[in-house]
Amino acid sequence: ANCCSLYIYYIADASVVGVNYGTTGNNLPDVASVVRLLQKNGITSVRLYDANSTVLNALANTGITVIVMLPNNNIAAVAASPSAARQWVLRNVAAHYPATRIHAVDVGNEVFLKARSLTRQLVPAMVNVHAALQSLGLDRAVKVTTPIAFTALAESWPPSAGRFRSDIARPVMRPMLNFLLRTGSWLSINAYPFFAYLDQPDKIPLDYALGNYTPGVRDPGTGLVYHSLLDAQIDAAYFAMEKLVGSSSSSSSSATVSAREDYFADNKQGKGTRTPSVHVQEHGWPHGGKKQVGKPPGRRLLASQTSAAASIANAKAYNNYVINRVLSGNTGTPHRPDADMDTHIFSLFDENLKGFGPSDIERYFGLFYPNQTKVYDFDFRGRALLAAASWCVANASVGEARLQAAMDYACSHGADCSDIQPGAACFEPNTKAAHASHAFNSYYQRYGRVTGACDFAGAAYIVHRAPKIGKCVLPSKVPIGV
């Protein structure tokens, strides 16, 4: 009983990697086939670009979690009318929940980029959708967020210089972050290392964009070293939030969250100001195409700029890096080492009506071709990770109190902690982090090396090289009979 209850608890805290299910194509499989494809491939979370009832009905009783979207063209009405928000929630969320595991509503998509006239109405719309969910008793299960394009940041390198654009920072982002923190939601960003690489191929190493740059890139402001451009983008968002919520409040209009709901002044956590977590709602890497129009808006990239980077090999490398990293539990960033990394890859299928013509790379982001065959190999179940040797070690950055609490739990729920008792073989070095690593790894191995058994609310993470602590090498073995 102890095993199972803890397993469920920590799995609930583990990060999620899912897919964006777009439908901008005239050759895509029917919805029932798509659901079977998701199940067959162990894909447990999807993000939609609408709240299509046919799709939501097909996903009922599958266990697949779903993010639905209130389209940009509905924002004005929902912002102006709590009644309109309630009707939308009744029709598109309550009518399907809980059979369909809707766990979030995206209010719009990249509003600052694609629907700028709605910028000031975005937070009021989010507030009204949340109020509607709250009135129906769904606000704990279904969170409200909005995906913002990475262009919402005026600066993103080095990450410590991250800040939001001045036109949206105080009037929109500050009340939005306040709302997200108050309601237990997250900041959603659409971040594409691929496009950042295309912007500066002479300055950004390809391996850095793909997530595996061994030398690393140092942030001169913090000294933190980044091996992944995605990490740098996520941390830039964290730093931007910290600057904003850590600054003094300014007066807010009736369209924003009220002053009595401003919780930022007293809330500190970890290394910086308390902020919502960052979820990468949309990102990916194209496997083909020769040119791209309109992203960033109005600029055409030459075939020579895109054809080499947009390849099956690079798409496979990047997306497998993301999938395997999330499934391994190693989701923290240099600035936020205990952070989760909930993320959705773009996209499920190649969509032949996107972009401007058959050579546009917008059509080649799919994990699957429309005939449902894989573009390249990937595994959302993490079977390759489970088959390989792995270890669970302590995340010292969470502090000794959290390490001690998690270690106490592990030692009392199946971990063999005899080797770290005074006088025992692995008592030295006598540090909290060293002892916790022994306990966490024993627990992780004891319960079959599943990702959820190495989390402890961010106090531990998985590694794939044998760690040596003092004179002791941590074992990687599932005991016989477990």
Side-chain angles (χ1 to χ4, degrees):
N2 287 339
C3 161
C4 296
S5 61
L6 184 67
Y7 172 75
I8 292 171
Y9 174 76
Y10 279 117
I11 282 294
D13 284 346
S15 296
V16 172
V17 57
V19 297
N20 287 272
Y21 175 21
T23 57
T24 311
N26 60 12
N27 59 351
L28 300 179
D30 63 87
V31 174
S33 297
V34 171
V35 172
R36 288 192 295 271
L37 185 69
L38 295 171
Q39 294 174 312
K40 177 182 177 182
N41 287 275
I43 298 172
T44 60
S45 184
V46 297
R47 173 181 174 239
L48 308 179
Y49 291 90
D50 52 27
N52 185 291
S53 61
T54 301
V55 176
L56 293 176
N57 287 335
L59 289 166
N61 303 309
T62 63
I64 295 170
T65 60
V66 187
I67 300 175
V68 298
M69 179 179 290
L70 182 145
N72 289 349
N73 58 15
N74 292 128
I75 288 176
V78 167
S81 170
S83 176
R86 182 179 172 85
Q87 289 302 311
W88 192 91
V89 168
L90 281 170
R91 182 172 61 254
N92 297 291
V93 180
H96 301 280
Y97 185 89
T100 302
R101 293 185 58 194
I102 299 170
H103 79 105
V105 175
D106 281 344
V107 175
N109 186 42
E110 299 187 341
V111 168
F112 307 145
L113 180 66
K114 297 178 178 178
R116 294 182 181 181
S117 63
L118 298 171
T119 293
R120 296 301 182 97
Q121 294 165 286
L122 181 56
V123 175
M126 296 170 70
V127 170
N128 283 349
V129 170
H130 175 264
L133 290 166
Q134 192 172 39
S135 71
L136 297 167
L138 297 175
D139 57 302
R140 290 184 179 272
V142 183
K143 298 304 178 181
V144 177
T145 184
T146 184
I148 63 173
F150 200 65
T151 53
L153 274 68
E155 298 287 343
S156 61
W157 181 259
S160 59
R163 62 181 177 85
F164 293 109
R165 297 191 335 238
S166 58
D167 61 313
I168 58 173
R170 286 188 174 276
V172 184
M173 289 308 302
R174 184 177 172 88
M176 181 194 297
L177 298 178
N178 194 337
F179 165 81
L180 296 173
L181 187 60
R182 178 175 62 87
T183 60
S185 188
W186 52 85
L187 177 70
S188 298
I189 62 172
N190 294 349
Y192 282 85
F194 172 75
F195 289 116
Y197 170 74
L198 289 188
D199 278 345
Q200 298 181 304
D202 55 331
K203 296 181 179 179
I204 297 177
L206 178 60
D207 283 347
Y208 181 51
L210 293 173
N212 186 33
Y213 187 51
T214 303
V217 180
R218 184 178 179 273
D219 182 328
T222 62
L224 296 172
V225 176
Y226 289 83
H227 301 280
S228 159
L229 179 52
L230 181 63
D231 273 354
Q233 292 179 322
I234 293 171
D235 272 356
Y238 275 120
F239 277 108
M241 287 194 289
E242 289 170 12
K243 289 183 178 70
L244 188 56
V245 305
S247 60
S248 60
S249 300
S250 58
S251 59
S252 32
S253 69
S254 59
T256 64
V257 182
S258 64
R260 70 177 181 275
E261 295 169 340
D262 190 340
Y263 292 179
F264 290 143
D266 302 322
N267 289 324
K268 301 286 183 180
Q269 69 176 12
K271 292 186 177 180
T273 303
R274 184 184 176 200
T275 68
S277 59
V278 173
H279 289 191
V280 186
Q281 206 86 312
E282 180 184 309
H283 66 126
W285 197 286
H287 60 82
K290 301 297 183 184
K291 60 184 179 181
Q292 183 260 349
V293 178
K295 195 175 185 130
R299 184 175 69 190
R300 180 183 295 272
L301 297 172
L302 300 177
S304 61
Q305 290 177 279
T306 62
S307 57
S311 68
I312 288 179
N314 287 343
K316 178 181 179 180
Y318 176 80
N319 284 325
N320 275 291
Y321 152 72
V322 172
I323 294 168
N324 292 336
R325 181 172 168 183
V326 173
L327 293 179
S328 74
N330 184 21
T331 57
T333 63
H335 181 53
R336 292 288 184 95
D338 59 343
D340 292 329
M341 188 186 283
D342 280 27
T343 180
H344 286 77
I345 293 170
F346 183 82
S347 60
L348 185 56
F349 296 109
D350 283 352
E351 299 171 61
N352 69 350
L353 297 182
K354 291 184 71 70
F356 297 85
S359 62
D360 197 311
I361 59 172
E362 291 283 346
R363 300 186 175 191
Y364 298 95
F365 276 83
L367 294 170
F368 294 91
Y369 295 113
N371 66 5
Q372 303 182 59
T373 61
K374 288 182 176 181
V375 177
Y376 43 82
D377 193 44
F378 52 84
D379 180 14
F380 278 80
R381 290 190 175 92
R383 290 171 296 194
L385 291 171
L386 285 175
S390 59
W391 297 261
C392 182
V393 296
N395 175 11
S397 69
V398 303
E400 291 196 352
R402 285 176 60 184
L403 287 179
Q404 183 66 56
M407 181 167 55
D408 289 345
Y409 199 102
C411 291
S412 62
H413 288 81
D416 181 357
C417 298
S418 59
D419 280 351
I420 55 175
Q421 301 307 309
C426 296
F427 180 73
E428 297 293 343
N430 182 16
T431 66
K432 199 75 69 181
H435 289 179
S437 290
H438 283 278
F440 296 164
N441 186 64
S442 177
Y443 183 91
Y444 173 65
Q445 305 298 335
R446 171 69 177 78
Y447 293 118
R449 300 200 306 267
V450 295
T451 300
C454 182
D455 182 73
F456 297 96
Y461 61 96
I462 295 169
V463 298
H464 298 278
R465 291 185 179 180
K468 185 176 181 181
I469 301 175
K471 296 181 179 180
C472 293
V473 176
L474 300 186
S476 177
K477 180 180 179 182
V478 180
I480 296 172
V482 172

